[in-house]
Amino acid sequence: MNTPKHTVVLGASPNPQRYGYLAVTRLLAHGHPVTAIGKRAGTIGDTPILEEHPSLPDVDTVTLYLNPMNQVQYYDYIISLKPKRIIFNPGTENPELEALARENNIIPQQACTLVMLSTGQY
């Protein structure tokens, strides 16, 4: 197994039909610590979904489940976390945020977190 990577899921949802929900459950199942952040408070299993933007140490990855318009309010927060990478899941591609990430030495990656986990590439 790969080294656990603290991951922030932006766009987490308590709805089991949403990809933000699946990402949290599968990341946890693969042994990665997760901070779930969403529009509404709730839980995914034992993991709380936070509405606030807490300061977090040692974030490896931010994975996005928000469309580009909804990402704008998180730009400063994402950069402040100093993650190693941002995963732009399908439908979240955003050239503006990708450029901002590169300017801050963060790797933007257009990929699918769920596929990466299932193929051992996470």
Side-chain angles (χ1 to χ4, degrees):
M1 185 172 137
N2 294 332
T3 305
K5 296 173 177 75
H6 180 194
T7 303
V8 173
V9 176
L10 272 181
S13 168
N15 180 346
Q17 305 299 313
R18 305 292 301 208
Y19 287 112
Y21 178 99
L22 295 173
V24 170
T25 59
R26 296 213 184 132
L27 284 160
L28 291 169
H30 281 84
H32 299 288
V34 173
T35 301
I37 297 176
K39 288 187 273 186
R40 286 178 219 85
T43 57
I44 299 173
D46 294 332
T47 303
I49 299 172
L50 308 175
E51 293 175 277
E52 63 273 5
H53 307 152
S55 177
L56 301 166
D58 303 318
V59 172
D60 181 88
T61 303
V62 172
T63 186
L64 297 172
Y65 291 93
L66 297 169
N67 72 46
M69 280 187 1
N70 289 328
Q71 294 169 20
V72 175
Q73 65 181 317
Y74 291 100
Y75 285 5
D76 291 340
Y77 178 62
I78 293 168
I79 299 304
S80 77
L81 294 174
K82 298 181 172 70
K84 292 182 180 131
R85 66 179 171 177
I86 300 171
I87 297 176
F88 292 85
N89 289 281
T92 68
E93 299 87 351
N94 180 344
E96 184 177 60
L97 182 53
E98 289 180 40
L100 188 59
R102 283 189 197 92
E103 289 169 18
N104 287 277
N105 300 310
I106 300 166
I107 299 165
Q109 190 171 6
Q110 290 188 18
C112 176
T113 297
L114 299 175
V115 170
M116 292 172 72
L117 287 165
S118 69
T119 59
Q121 298 175 54
Y122 198 89

